[in-house]
Amino acid sequence: MFLDDYHSRTGSRIHITAEQASRFAKRVAGDFNPIHNSDARRFCVPGDLLFALVLARFGLSQNMNFRFLSMVGDSVPLSFAEGDDGLIRVQDDAGKCYLEVCRDGDVTHDESVVEAFTRCYVAFSGKNFPHYLKPLMEDRGVMFNPRRPLVIYDSMGFSLDRLDGVEPGLELLDSSLDVAGKRGDALLDFRIVAGGEEVGNGAKKLVVSGLCDYDASAMDEIVDEFYRLKAAHEAGAS
């Protein structure tokens, strides 16, 4: 399983170290958000890794909605379980819930189908910044604090017309940023395509905190640093 390098299991609990989470963010998602660096003061596990582990454990359903309730830290023992109410929850031993998933429709556990969908969604999701968020912030004249950029995964959902082995892809349909004071809610609408036709759609919500006035030079420095880290990672991985 391609996720084996990014988590470990002890009994019924799953552990994700900061190093494993950081590798997933960079290798699989192409995500260089500093909050996923293993040495980050406010480190958190990428929500896309939790998403991937849910699909690996419970399969891919036609309709799924994910609510990210809190950030997971380094090596927190996690349980992935489906409750009597049908909701899948990712919780720690104290009962704190980090992710809640509802689903319906047909389900596939075909590993090739699940992995293909996981990889295509995570690759899309990893482009949050700068690909999708920078134009939105520039248009609205706001940006996150350049000294403490914070973008939080709030929720995501999708619907699929069918579950088969066709290699899928995700395309951005529309995007918006709703600003309220120092907080911004970004909504990314996407469609899911396979074999040249649309087979589903979905939406993702992000929360951008600590908004301030847009500063083009400061943003350019952040984008340059993103691509510097990306190039350094790719050079080290080759």
Side-chain angles (χ1 to χ4, degrees):
M1 184 64 183
F2 83 102
L3 295 176
D4 288 349
D5 289 340
Y6 309 113
H7 74 288
S8 58
R9 183 183 294 274
T10 303
S12 62
R13 298 293 184 265
I14 284 178
H15 304 256
I16 304 167
T17 67
E19 291 76 14
Q20 288 172 325
S22 184
R23 286 202 305 270
F24 176 89
K26 295 172 175 61
R27 291 181 184 176
V28 182
D31 181 355
F32 294 87
N33 186 335
I35 202 170
H36 302 318
N37 291 342
S38 59
D39 58 353
R41 183 176 64 85
R42 294 188 293 172
F43 163 83
C44 77
V45 171
D48 287 332
L49 179 50
L50 300 179
F51 159 83
L53 288 168
V54 166
L55 262 60
R57 167 70 177 81
F58 297 98
L60 173 65
S61 296
Q62 280 187 286
N63 305 295
M64 302 188 79
N65 287 281
F66 296 74
R67 292 179 60 235
F68 295 87
L69 304 174
S70 191
M71 296 189 292
V72 178
D74 179 19
S75 300
V76 176
L78 299 171
S79 65
F80 287 62
E82 185 170 10
D84 293 338
D85 57 4
L87 294 179
I88 297 168
R89 294 182 176 87
V90 178
Q91 297 177 298
D92 62 20
D93 288 342
K96 181 177 182 179
C97 187
Y98 297 90
L99 172 61
E100 193 173 78
V101 185
C102 62
R103 59 178 181 160
D104 59 48
D106 294 338
V107 182
T108 180
H109 293 273
D110 184 315
E111 288 187 8
S112 63
V113 174
V114 173
E115 179 174 339
F117 185 84
T118 299
R119 285 187 180 276
C120 84
Y121 174 75
V122 169
F124 168 85
S125 184
K127 294 180 179 178
N128 289 336
F129 182 85
H131 307 77
Y132 306 137
L133 286 180
K134 179 181 179 292
L136 287 174
M137 292 188 292
E138 185 174 15
D139 181 65
R140 295 303 306 273
V142 297
M143 64 181 287
F144 42 59
N145 186 332
R147 292 177 298 280
R148 292 198 308 168
L150 186 60
V151 178
I152 300 173
Y153 205 160
D154 180 89
S155 56
M156 185 274 284
F158 61 84
S159 295
L160 291 164
D161 297 334
R162 66 174 194 262
L163 300 170
D164 56 25
V166 177
E167 191 75 17
L170 267 69
E171 300 175 354
L172 183 68
L173 277 179
D174 194 15
S175 60
S176 62
L177 178 62
D178 182 28
V179 177
K182 293 187 177 298
R183 171 189 165 116
D185 291 341
L187 187 64
L188 307 177
D189 294 320
F190 58 87
R191 69 173 186 159
I192 305 162
V193 297
E197 64 176 306
E198 182 172 329
V199 296
N201 58 76
K204 176 178 182 177
K205 180 181 176 183
L206 302 164
V207 175
V208 187
S209 299
L211 291 179
C212 58
D213 290 339
Y214 191 85
D215 183 325
S217 60
M219 180 58 73
D220 287 345
E221 290 181 7
I222 296 170
V223 173
D224 288 345
E225 177 66 5
F226 171 89
Y227 285 109
R228 185 193 69 78
L229 292 171
K230 185 174 187 292
H233 169 75
E234 291 173 349
S238 61

